[in-house]
Amino acid sequence: MNATRFGLILKVNDLDACRIFYRDLLQLGEPVLDSTFAVVFHLTEELALTLEKSAAGYLEHASAASTLSFAVPDLEAFACRLDDCGYPLEKDPIRIGIIEYRRGADPEGNPFLVFQE
């Protein structure tokens, strides 16, 4: 496994649900590390996303300091796929600068923003 220069670590209680969400629904592909305590996805050669298992009861994501943002080629198809699986995007877009995003959340409430490429 190659080391990446930058990474984001999300602490989650239900690692299995989050693994499936990020691998299959967000289509990050197979993780480069997949264990009972951590799942690591290489987003680019320089950037990794790590899901780290935690039993901490304090994990509250409504005011999370970290938010992922990414582009998809077909926002409506992406939104339909998530909706069909019980993870709907918010209907009203938000504008940051010149980009309109739709907000969603993973199985544990970690927020993300998605926009059309």
Side-chain angles (χ1 to χ4, degrees), residues 46-106:
E46 298 279 321
L47 179 64
L49 170 64
T50 300
L51 306 174
E52 181 181 41
K53 183 163 181 64
S54 174
Y58 64 82
L59 293 180
E60 175 55 53
H61 301 289
S63 61
S66 299
T67 301
L68 299 174
S69 68
F70 54 92
V72 295
D74 185 339
L75 183 56
E76 287 311 309
F78 180 80
C80 287
R81 183 172 70 242
L82 289 182
D83 194 46
D84 289 346
C85 294
Y87 300 102
L89 296 176
E90 290 180 3
K91 298 292 183 204
D92 295 326
I94 61 170
R95 182 173 290 279
I96 301 174
I98 61 169
I99 299 176
E100 262 192 7
Y101 294 89
R102 300 263 310 270
R103 184 184 309 270
D106 74 8

Side-chain angles (χ1 to χ4, degrees), residues 3-9 41-50:
T4 56
R5 293 188 64 200
F6 302 98
L8 174 64
I9 299 170
F41 296 97
H42 275 185
L43 303 179
T44 69
E45 190 175 311
E46 298 279 321
L47 179 64
L49 170 64
T50 300

